[in-house]
Amino acid sequence: MELVTPSIGLVFWTVVAFVCLLILLRKFAWKPIMSAIHDREQSIDEALNKAELAKQEMARLTAQNEDLMKEARAERDRILKEAKELKDGIVGEARKQAQTEGAKLIEKARIEIENQKKAALAEVKGQVSALSLEIAERVLRSQLEDKSKQEALVANLLKDVELN
């Protein structure tokens, strides 16, 4: 039971030891502990401020990044539009040129066909005239071989001349 009910001497020495401990702690440990806590608090505040600044910088960079992406998309769309217009222009020009060239070729072929047709007709006419002359020559030879036929032919021709 002595441990449950302490004696005055034990309480006195316990209080003296506690007061001495408080004085020693106040003199040697309290200020360094408080300054360490204060320093730690300041470093935490600085870290929080730096984190807030970093967050703001990150938000600014994100917004700037988004603006750059929008500009890049707009530039890409503009370039694609210009390329499409250029392609359409080149295709249209090539189509027009092909049609012009085709029309020229068709006209040239038509003229060539017409020339070939005229040449063929001239050649046929030449052959027909040559054949006609040859036939006429043969007919006249056969008519002129006989003396009586010659006299009859001359008589007929003279009758035609007199009538005109």
Side-chain angles (χ1 to χ4, degrees):
M1 262 271 336
E2 279 190 31
L3 286 176
V4 176
T5 55
S7 68
I8 289 274
L10 180 62
V11 172
F12 173 75
W13 287 115
T14 304
V15 170
V16 170
F18 184 71
V19 171
C20 286
L21 179 66
L22 277 178
I23 292 171
L24 283 175
L25 282 176
R26 185 172 181 214
K27 185 167 183 142
F28 295 111
W30 192 258
K31 285 183 184 178
I33 289 173
M34 288 307 282
S35 68
I37 289 174
H38 182 67
D39 290 344
R40 178 71 179 151
E41 185 179 317
Q42 282 181 344
S43 69
I44 289 172
D45 283 341
E46 287 176 11
L48 288 175
N49 288 337
K50 285 180 183 177
E52 183 63 31
L53 288 175
K55 183 179 176 183
Q56 290 173 356
E57 181 68 15
M58 191 63 124
R60 185 186 66 79
L61 287 175
T62 303
Q64 186 179 13
N65 229 4
E66 288 176 7
D67 290 342
L68 287 174
M69 289 297 287
K70 285 179 185 176
E71 288 176 17
R73 285 186 192 115
E75 182 70 15
R76 180 201 63 196
D77 291 343
R78 184 186 61 78
I79 289 171
L80 287 174
K81 183 180 176 186
E82 287 176 4
K84 185 177 186 289
E85 289 172 355
L86 183 63
K87 178 199 71 139
D88 291 343
I90 289 171
V91 166
E93 186 178 324
R95 184 176 291 132
K96 199 179 294 181
Q97 187 177 9
Q99 287 175 346
T100 304
E101 288 295 320
K104 285 180 183 178
L105 288 174
I106 290 171
E107 182 63 22
K108 188 176 179 182
R110 189 188 62 75
I111 290 171
E112 184 66 27
I113 289 170
E114 189 68 30
N115 290 338
Q116 292 291 332
K117 182 179 166 184
K118 286 178 183 177
L121 283 176
E123 186 179 334
V124 167
K125 283 180 183 178
Q127 287 178 354
V128 166
S129 65
L131 286 173
S132 296
L133 285 175
E134 191 177 323
I135 291 171
E137 182 183 341
R138 287 184 184 174
V139 167
L140 283 176
R141 275 195 194 148
S142 71
Q143 292 261 337
L144 293 178
E145 286 179 356
D146 189 13
K147 182 92 170 151
S148 63
K149 285 184 182 178
Q150 284 179 4
E151 288 174 2
L153 179 63
V154 168
N156 280 337
L157 287 175
L158 286 175
K159 281 184 191 175
D160 287 341
V161 171
E162 288 174 6
L163 295 174
N164 288 334

